[in-house]
Amino acid sequence: MYKRGQVTVFIILGIVIVALIGVLFFFRGDLIEGLLEGETSGLFSSADIEPVKDVVQGCVEITLMDAIEHVSNRGGYNSPALSSQYSRDSYGLPIVYAWTCSAGTRLPSLAALGGQLNMYMADHRDEITSCIDDNVDEYKKSWTIQNINEFILGDAVVSDTYVRQRIRYDSTSVLSVKKGDYAATATEIMAELNIALGQAQEMAAEIASCYNGDFVGVDITYNSYCNIDGVPFRTELYNMRNYRNVVSLLQTSCNPARDECYHLLIPAPNREDILFNVALK
């Protein structure tokens, strides 16, 4: 009897263990499926305006980089053909003269460069909105996003080391993100590129001053890079006085219509240098 009862106990324990294993496997499948669903459908379950702002900033910066290259290639202008004082490089690209003997200095100031960039940005607004729409599509499946393409672009701010583009939303059409009890708005976003466009403009202005002999902005008693040994502009001597300068210079062959021309190379992250054309006549 003892042995038979002992066997019965072991049989019952075995049945219980098998049953428990079966239950665990049953619920294990539901648990894993639930976790996987949480990783996919729950990815954007909590709304957040910051990634939406990042999309707007990133798309504006892409077009801003294109604008910097476009304007730099053309001597600081968006549409050189609107000026009567322009020539073309060896590829047929129109370039506004930085200086001519008949019209004087034509190189835009830093503030005017910002305006030229803004003209390009306005002409290519559709590229920005298309980029934004493509990159917020997944967020829109989970969140309510309003007025994302109702932004206003001010003039870009050009400095020695960066170019900044203000992105503003009017008070009547603020950028908003909503989901459930969450709601957030934004009225301003700042795009910024570490591009030394201002240094290129300053070097171009000094080249024009050295070329025409007026030395604008340069104390003649301290000038050491203009017209040295018959060379109108000595880059290495200029850099000694402007040691933070990262823009390099190449003198290149000119279109016969121009007397002097230079290529300024502006370093750009993760891409080839940007060419700033300087034409003189």
Side-chain angles (χ1 to χ4, degrees):
M1 289 294 294
Y2 176 75
K3 289 185 177 179
R4 183 179 296 174
Q6 193 176 39
V7 170
T8 302
V9 171
F10 280 120
I11 291 174
I12 293 172
L13 285 174
I15 292 172
V16 171
I17 291 171
V18 171
L20 286 173
I21 292 172
V23 170
L24 286 173
F25 270 101
F26 177 78
F27 284 108
R28 179 175 177 271
D30 289 344
L31 179 62
I32 292 174
E33 184 177 350
L35 288 173
L36 290 175
E37 287 180 356
E39 288 180 358
T40 53
S41 63
L43 181 60
F44 304 124
S45 58
S46 298
D48 186 358
I49 198 171
E50 292 306 317
V52 176
K53 290 167 60 178
D54 289 343
V55 167
V56 176
Q57 176 184 337
C59 289
V60 169
E61 286 176 353
I62 290 172
T63 304
L64 182 59
M65 180 67 81
D66 293 340
I68 293 170
E69 181 170 30
H70 177 91
V71 167
S72 296
N73 288 172
R74 290 158 178 77
Y77 287 85
N78 179 52
S79 300
L82 298 178
S83 168
S84 60
Q85 299 289 330
Y86 76 93
S87 182
R88 295 184 181 273
D89 67 6
S90 56
Y91 299 101
L93 193 70
I95 307 168
V96 176
Y97 288 113
W99 179 87
T100 69
C101 57
S102 59
T105 299
R106 302 186 59 80
L107 189 71
S109 65
L110 290 182
L113 265 180
Q116 294 296 321
L117 293 174
N118 190 244
M119 290 179 191
Y120 181 95
M121 300 292 283
D123 291 342
H124 294 78
R125 184 184 178 92
D126 287 347
E127 294 177 11
I128 302 173
T129 57
S130 178
C131 172
I132 290 172
D133 289 338
D134 289 345
N135 285 279
V136 297
D137 187 56
E138 288 299 315
Y139 295 124
K140 284 184 174 180
K141 293 177 182 178
S142 302
W143 310 336
T144 300
I145 302 174
Q146 295 179 321
N147 302 322
I148 193 168
N149 287 328
E150 299 302 314
F151 56 84
I152 302 167
L153 297 176
D155 285 355
V157 176
V158 180
S159 82
D160 279 1
T161 56
Y162 63 78
V163 178
R164 286 179 180 159
Q165 174 72 66
R166 183 186 179 204
I167 309 158
R168 185 172 60 85
Y169 288 88
D170 190 75
S171 59
T172 59
S173 54
V174 297
L175 170 63
S176 68
V177 175
K178 300 177 182 178
K179 181 179 175 66
D181 295 333
Y182 176 88
T185 61
T187 58
E188 185 169 315
I189 303 169
M190 187 66 73
E192 180 174 327
L193 295 174
N194 294 321
I195 301 293
L197 180 59
Q199 289 186 7
Q201 188 273 350
E202 291 167 5
M203 181 181 282
E206 293 299 337
I207 290 172
S209 294
C210 290
Y211 186 78
N212 63 41
D214 63 10
F215 305 112
V216 174
V218 177
D219 186 336
I220 190 65
T221 60
Y222 293 101
N223 183 279
S224 60
Y225 47 81
C226 286
N227 301 300
I228 306 298
D229 298 328
V231 180
F233 184 82
R234 296 287 292 270
T235 311
E236 69 280 10
L237 299 177
Y238 174 83
N239 285 341
M240 287 177 64
R241 290 198 59 198
N242 299 272
Y243 62 91
R244 289 190 175 90
N245 183 56
V246 297
V247 177
S248 56
L249 179 146
L250 295 173
Q251 187 168 8
T252 182
S253 57
C254 283
N255 179 304
R258 291 172 286 163
D259 295 329
E260 294 283 349
C261 49
Y262 297 85
H263 288 168
L264 308 185
L265 302 179
I266 310 171
N270 304 316
R271 53 164 295 157
E272 293 182 354
D273 293 345
I274 295 174
L275 174 65
F276 193 106
N277 263 310
V278 182
L280 305 156
K281 182 179 179 181

